[in-house]
Amino acid sequence: MGHAERLRAELNALHEAAGSPTLASMASLGAKQLPPVTVSISSVAGWLKGPAVPSAGAYTRYFLALVRHLQGEAQKAGSDYAPRPPQYWEALVGRARAERKARGGRPLSAAADHVPAPAPMTLPPAPAGFTGRTDEIDHVVRWLQPSDGDGERDEAAAIVVSAVSGMGGVGKTALALHAAHQARARGWFPGGTLFADLRGYGDEPIGAAETADRMLRAVGVKSRDLPPTPDGKIDAWRQKLAELGAQDRPLLMVLDNVRDPAQAEALLPGTPHRALITSRHRLSAMPTRRIELKPLSAADAVALLDRTLGAGGIDDDRVTTQPEAALEIVQLCGFLPLALRIIGALLRDEPGRPLAAQARELADERTRLDALEYDSAESDGRPLAVRASFELSYRHLTPDARRAFRLLSAAPGVDVSTASAAKLFDQGPAPARRLLAGLARAHVVEQRAQGGTDQEPADGERWSMHDLVRLFADERGREHAAYDGRDAAVARLLDHYLTTAQAADTHLQTTPGWALPDDFTDRGQALEWLEAEQSNLVAAATAAPAHHAAATGLVLALGTFFDLRRHTNDWLNLSTAAVGICREAGDRHNERAALDGLGRALIRAGRFKEAVDVFTAVLDMCRETGDRHVEAITLTNLGQALAFLENFVDAVNVLTDAAALFGEVGDSLGGARVLGILGPVQINMGAPKQAVGYLTEAVAYWREIGDRHAEGVTLVNLGLALAGAQKLREAVKAHADALALFREHGDVHGEAESLNNLGAALIQMRKVDEAADAVLSAARLSKEMGFPECEAKALANFGQLLLHKKSFDKAVTPLTAAASLFRETGDRHSAASTLNLLGQALVEHGRFDEAADVGAQDAALCRELGDRHGEGIAWKNVGLSLCQVHRFNEAVKALSTAAALFRETGDRRREAEVRVQLASASRGRRN
């Protein structure tokens, strides 16, 4: 094909994709250029139909503008045409012009002593309703583009074979056909566009010689001229490719469903031809460009379902009118095109069926694969069923790989590491990785993190299954459970998770002098493993049979990690389940341990009353057994829960008893922990100096034994106590030291809290810029990790800082956000105090109506909390704001309520002030 012919074919393909605009409309674009270009209709017709080529100068400038316009129209029309950059078109026009010049200005067809035979075409129709895959199509179409005389392009074109790989049902054939039809429409392959399904995953795969026979017939070779032997047919095919190449007639061959490279290698062409292969395997040994298809995005999956329902012009608006159910369906289908086509076909048969009903049917994992089957067949006779599609991949795995595939479905969680899979398979890491890599090459398993070799598997390497593939593997796994040793395999995996979690927990326990297991090199590596495996460990604890130690042991091993990373819901759920398992088994010892973990989780969740009840029950169990040391630990936890309930007197009594018991059993570490809790209690009881004494002693103990994380936690409270005692420089130093320790230990929650407390102390010192940096850093860090409690405090501090700067308008936004977050997290006390500050900001900014509304919200919160005095202050603020906007009737009511509340709480001074304001409001009402 000459360059002028290629230019004409490309322009015609683009013209069609743009909706075939009229020649007149295209020519009129010339007048819109700067400067304008006069272009005749006949010139545009000549470029489209031949033999003309745009001349240099203004016509080329217009031609590039025309191409830009047509590509824009194609995009608006939803065409799958892959746009080309301006330099591509400019080079193509330049080569076509040079070609014309070399022929003395004559078109290539001027020497028309013969007319080429029509190019043979055996491609199936382009798939209807093809959706998405824009980037993938663009890549493949660019790979198919023949050599164009550009040196760099020619070097890249040396790789003439492209491969599309992916799991069964992901849409490999659809994408290959779509790209092939685009390439053919551009006139790139005058030698022909041929398709062959090699059925590599069927019962009777088609070999190279049989495919060569079919392709020779497709390009016009008569039956009598075909060689009789397989080798002869392959040689004849190669000779035909050479002839077409010599005639400058490139050919495209699409080889579908290739499993074994031997099926295709003998057929593959050289330049200028192209080949496009699809396979469920990666075919890494073949020299190809390769693209691996993943399931569709959620948006593209919904669009595919919509197009499937509306195919053939059917008016079906269920996807647009029932979007939530449509999204649920595509999620349950795993965004897999085959599954969506099947569901689309089923729904087309029942146009009145709500999508929610179909979603409910798919929601049952036990029958989901049954629901993803249609009583029809593909064009090649294969069943239109997800299960049947997966079976084709499964049957070609080796026996060992099939067993590994089946066992992987039994692993709880979303993925497995190589080490975990090795335990499941009962093999070493290297042979286990070879099995996993083989499954990944067959696209029945996905490798989620790269790295490692068979000899040295990477620590971060993980392997997962598509949801529907996992269901299929689980079906096969249950059928072969006895042969595979499935129960024993799961038990090995649970043992691995439990022992490794226990080892990691030992590293997280910061007490120096403890013997550390060699599973991890240090605390950081243990924490990294816990974070990577967290969802799997929770799933393992949930799925473990009651008789296995992991059912209760995992949550005990994960308590420190859950507390550190604030995985509170997991901690609560697993602890509750563990308590039930222990009670049913009559295991009082582990029941006590599980209840202790549950109580600590309840404290972290802010459910302090329930925590008190739990620790009270644990205390009774300790006293039954006479375990004085565990009793002391439980009293400490109970005292902490009472302190959070603001029952400070009882908290001090309980903690004093705990300290005495720790002294009795000689546990100075436990005594230091008690001091660390007594400190904040004393702060809340208005005795910051007493708190400083307790906390200073505790900090000294943690430093002496080298427990740097406990030191950081205690320094936080010491900083608060020092600030309360007006020792602000010392408070700032304590918070800065705590911040450094938390960063050292990777405790991001502690880091955020320390930044916020540091900022609050700096605000008291009037160091505004430093304070702003600290609290804003705390707010950003808290937001990033989903720690709304600290984010709210940081925003409230920033708002307070802005009030100090008299930036009242700027203070409104952070204070509003802080109040909202405090409410979301259930901290009504802080919400009320923040609303009070917000009201002040609004008043100073002259927004009195809004200030009144905020004050009413503050009053309601104080009433809920039983804070009658705070409610009085709120109503006073409401009344004053209402007076400013002459809403005197409402103001009188608010101020009357405030006066009554101040009288009730004994605040005679405020009562007197309010009565003066009340009299003024009454006069305003009369006037």
Side-chain angles (χ1 to χ4, degrees), residues 398-657:
T398 65
D400 284 347
R402 284 199 292 270
R403 177 178 179 269
F405 174 71
R406 296 190 296 263
L407 287 177
L408 283 172
S409 69
V414 296
D415 58 19
V416 292
S417 66
T418 302
S420 297
K423 297 296 181 183
L424 192 67
F425 303 159
D426 200 17
Q427 294 187 348
R433 189 188 184 283
R434 284 193 289 273
L435 283 170
L436 290 165
L439 293 172
R441 284 193 295 273
H443 286 100
V444 294
V445 162
E446 181 179 355
Q447 188 178 14
R448 295 186 61 186
Q450 299 297 322
T453 65
D454 291 345
Q455 288 70 39
E456 295 185 21
D459 291 339
E461 204 170 36
R462 309 192 73 78
W463 311 82
S464 64
M465 282 179 163
H466 185 276
D467 290 346
L468 297 179
V469 173
R470 178 182 283 272
L471 292 178
F472 174 80
D474 187 59
E475 284 184 352
R476 296 295 174 267
R478 293 180 187 280
E479 291 170 4
H480 297 83
Y483 175 82
D484 293 342
R486 185 180 175 99
D487 290 344
V490 172
R492 285 192 302 272
L493 180 60
L494 293 175
D495 289 340
H496 164 68
Y497 281 148
L498 178 58
T499 56
T500 313
Q502 289 169 336
D505 183 53
T506 303
H507 278 272
L508 258 59
Q509 301 290 341
T510 55
T511 306
W514 283 20
L516 295 175
D518 58 7
D519 300 64
F520 303 101
T521 56
D522 55 25
R523 183 180 186 275
Q525 191 184 54
L527 192 57
E528 185 179 326
W529 182 85
L530 287 165
E531 287 171 339
E533 296 287 359
Q534 186 254 334
S535 63
N536 290 339
L537 294 170
V538 171
T542 303
H547 65 268
H548 195 285
T552 55
L554 270 173
V555 67
L556 300 180
L558 293 172
T560 303
F561 171 68
F562 283 158
D563 193 30
L564 182 66
R565 288 293 185 255
R566 305 301 199 271
H567 294 306
T568 309
N569 287 336
D570 288 337
W571 198 4
L572 284 169
N573 294 335
L574 293 186
S575 294
T576 302
V579 169
I581 291 170
C582 292
R583 281 179 178 163
E584 189 170 340
D587 183 352
R588 296 281 283 173
H589 175 76
N590 281 323
E591 181 187 348
R592 182 205 58 73
L595 279 169
D596 180 76
L598 176 59
R600 290 186 293 127
L602 287 165
I603 287 177
R604 179 58 73 192
R607 294 160 60 179
F608 307 122
K609 178 64 173 66
E610 294 169 77
V612 167
D613 293 341
V614 167
F615 286 128
T616 301
V618 175
L619 194 60
D620 291 341
M621 296 172 77
C622 294
R623 287 169 177 165
E624 283 176 17
T625 60
D627 190 331
R628 304 284 278 170
H629 187 229
V630 176
E631 182 181 346
I633 294 171
T634 306
L635 283 168
T636 305
N637 291 333
L638 176 59
Q640 187 176 38
L642 288 166
F644 280 120
L645 273 177
E646 300 184 0
N647 193 343
F648 298 122
V649 174
D650 286 347
V652 169
N653 292 335
V654 168
L655 290 167
T656 302
D657 290 345

Side-chain angles (χ1 to χ4, degrees), residues 750-830:
E751 180 183 348
E753 287 184 329
S754 294
L755 280 166
N756 181 51
N757 292 331
L758 176 61
L762 289 167
I763 289 172
Q764 287 183 265
M765 294 180 72
R766 298 294 192 268
K767 293 189 175 182
V768 175
D769 292 338
E770 293 175 63
D773 288 342
V775 296
L776 288 175
S777 295
R780 280 193 297 269
L781 183 58
S782 299
K783 189 174 187 66
E784 287 171 8
M785 64 181 169
F787 187 14
E789 294 87 353
C790 187
E791 183 185 358
K793 292 175 186 175
L795 289 172
N797 280 332
F798 184 55
Q800 188 175 11
L801 183 151
L802 292 170
L803 286 176
H804 286 316
K805 291 179 67 175
K806 300 190 182 304
S807 298
F808 303 116
D809 56 332
K810 294 179 180 178
V812 170
T813 298
L815 290 172
T816 301
S820 177
L821 284 169
F822 280 131
R823 281 176 159 170
E824 287 177 17
T825 58
D827 187 348
R828 293 180 294 171
H829 286 284
S830 297

Side-chain angles (χ1 to χ4, degrees), residues 145-169:
Q145 183 180 341
S147 168
D148 56 11
D150 179 271
E152 187 176 342
R153 260 296 282 137
D154 287 349
E155 184 178 347
I159 302 176
V160 302
V161 182
S162 304
V164 180
S165 62
M167 64 182 289

Side-chain angles (χ1 to χ4, degrees), residues 302 318-328 355:
V302 170
R318 280 179 286 181
V319 169
T320 55
T321 59
Q322 304 169 46
E324 292 181 2
L327 180 59
E328 186 178 1
L355 298 188

Side-chain angles (χ1 to χ4, degrees), residues 333 339 342-343 362 368-374 384-386 468:
C333 288
I342 292 168
I343 288 299
L362 288 170
R368 189 177 303 163
L369 293 180
D370 295 329
L372 292 171
E373 183 171 340
Y374 190 68
L384 191 57
V386 168
L468 297 179

Side-chain angles (χ1 to χ4, degrees), residues 704-740:
E704 180 183 342
I705 69 168
D707 191 336
R708 292 172 68 75
H709 188 263
E711 180 188 345
V713 172
T714 311
L715 279 168
V716 168
N717 291 321
L718 177 57
L720 295 173
L722 289 165
Q726 295 304 304
K727 297 181 177 181
L728 298 177
R729 292 184 184 278
E730 296 172 63
V732 166
K733 184 178 185 308
H735 289 312
D737 290 346
L739 177 62

